Amino acid sequence: MISRTTLIGVTDQTYQPTLSQLRAFVAIAEYRHFGTAAARLSVSQPTLSQALASLENGLGLQLIERSTRRVLVTAAGKRLLPQAMATLEAADRFVASASGDGLGGTLRLGLIPTVAPYVLPRLLPELRRQLPALVPHVIEDQTARLLDGLRSGVLDVALLALPNEATGLVEIPLYTEEFVLVTPRGHELAGQTGVAPSALDSLPLLLLDEGHCLRDQTLDLCRSQDVRPGPVGDTRAASLATVVQCVAGGLGVTLIPEMAVASETARGTLDIARFAQPAPGRTLGLVFRGSTARAEDYERLAEIIRAHRPM
């Protein structure tokens, strides 16, 4: 009996990968951890490892580099990952179409931290009601990393502040919301309407950490109005909830999107002020790869998000 050995770098032209092998590769590339990837796919780690090994042997390529401390995607893996994702996406779409619902299967949905806590409580139940065949996987992260995830194929679609001007990606605008000034209780601007952005001059303005688009939008507003906020020391925050608590503690003021006002000011220890029209704000939208075959599905998803925006 003659056995055939496939060498790394020598592709077996007769080889056809299975969906299970592709899912193993994509999951490992996404989570960079074999245990987490196996749990997500509901398989054992040995089964996951065998699926990846079979894929690599069949292709004659190393896709994943694994050491005792970390998991890396090789250059070949990065090159083939978007195609593997597209193949799985097409398979999910095929199954969903057979059941009569085009938007079904796994959907890897990215959201920025200043959107996720306020959109998801209304959106996820509505997706379960309208699209029972859809299995959303939620990934919360900063804009730059979400865009990287879209380009690499790790994410299918993301809910972001627009515009992003990223090549190869398509944007569906959803809606525009205003920014609201949050102040400590009893602040001189508390309860006012028609506040000019220039009123921020010299005020201690609390911001999110670098990498958050709301920070950049707030700083852009200050620059456009020639506003120079006052110092806030070394105060830093990674979430709106922390920033708002710092405001309640008298450390300064901040801007938050309209969707966050109800939940972040519910404790009653803060006041708000509203800007004069046209008020500063942001436009949110869905972003996805221009090469996807699911553009119509994402248009439907956009309609659902638009109809169930936070009030």
Side-chain angles (χ1 to χ4, degrees):
M1 178 177 179
I2 299 175
S3 62
R4 180 175 59 188
T5 301
T6 302
L7 301 177
I8 294 296
V10 181
T11 303
D12 179 356
Q13 298 297 327
T14 66
Y15 172 70
Q16 293 292 324
T18 68
L19 292 179
S20 295
Q21 292 168 355
L22 293 178
R23 290 192 194 282
F25 165 48
V26 169
I28 295 167
E30 179 178 357
Y31 297 109
R32 308 295 175 94
H33 189 278
F34 275 67
T36 302
R40 288 286 184 168
L41 295 179
S42 299
V43 300
S44 67
Q45 286 195 48
T47 298
L48 184 80
S49 298
Q50 180 58 46
L52 175 65
S54 297
L55 179 63
E56 291 180 324
N57 287 335
L59 296 175
L61 294 170
Q62 184 181 19
L63 304 175
I64 299 294
E65 182 180 332
R66 181 182 185 182
S67 69
T68 56
R69 293 187 176 182
R70 60 181 179 174
V71 174
L72 300 174
V73 182
T74 66
K78 291 178 181 177
R79 176 171 57 85
L80 293 175
L81 181 60
Q83 297 176 58
M85 292 288 298
T87 301
L88 294 175
E89 187 177 84
D92 288 341
R93 183 179 175 85
F94 174 80
V95 174
S97 295
S99 66
D101 191 346
L103 190 50
T106 300
L107 179 76
R108 295 173 176 82
L109 171 63
L111 302 98
I112 53 177
T114 57
V115 167
Y118 317 109
V119 166
L120 292 178
R122 291 171 60 92
L123 177 61
L124 291 180
E126 194 59 31
L127 292 179
R128 285 196 299 271
R129 188 183 72 82
Q130 293 196 37
L131 304 169
L134 186 70
V135 183
H137 292 185
V138 173
I139 298 92
E140 182 186 69
D141 212 332
Q142 294 179 4
T143 298
R145 288 195 285 268
L146 292 180
L147 291 174
D148 286 343
L150 286 172
R151 283 188 288 259
S152 68
V154 172
L155 290 177
D156 299 314
V157 64
L159 180 50
L160 306 170
L162 304 182
N164 288 290
E165 300 178 351
T167 57
L169 300 179
V170 176
E171 299 177 349
I172 303 177
L174 296 174
Y175 51 83
T176 298
E177 61 173 350
E178 296 180 358
F179 292 148
V180 176
L181 179 64
V182 180
T183 72
R185 178 59 59 83
H187 190 274
E188 59 182 10
L189 294 177
Q192 291 191 25
T193 59
V195 174
S198 59
L200 297 174
D201 194 52
S202 300
L203 290 181
L205 185 60
L206 296 165
L207 301 171
L208 287 168
D209 274 346
E210 293 184 3
H212 290 275
C213 58
L214 181 59
R215 173 192 177 93
D216 298 334
Q217 292 157 355
T218 301
L219 291 175
D220 287 344
L221 171 64
C222 291
R223 283 190 287 267
S224 70
Q225 301 293 321
D226 197 24
V227 167
R228 292 175 175 79
V232 293
D234 294 327
T235 299
R236 300 173 60 189
S239 70
L240 275 185
T242 300
V243 172
V244 169
Q245 287 305 305
C246 290
V247 173
L251 301 185
V253 301
T254 196
L255 300 187
I256 67 174
E258 181 71 47
M259 67 167 62
V261 171
S263 59
E264 297 300 347
T265 63
R267 296 180 182 85
T269 56
L270 297 159
D271 281 320
I272 65 170
R274 296 188 178 275
F275 290 99
Q277 297 297 321
R282 66 181 182 181
T283 298
L284 297 178
L286 277 184
V287 182
F288 55 90
R289 291 181 298 281
S291 59
T292 185
R294 303 184 73 179
E296 291 184 6
D297 294 340
Y298 298 151
E299 290 282 358
R300 182 179 178 190
L301 178 63
E303 292 175 3
I304 295 173
I305 296 174
R306 200 179 286 121
H308 296 87
R309 58 181 291 184
M311 304 304 292

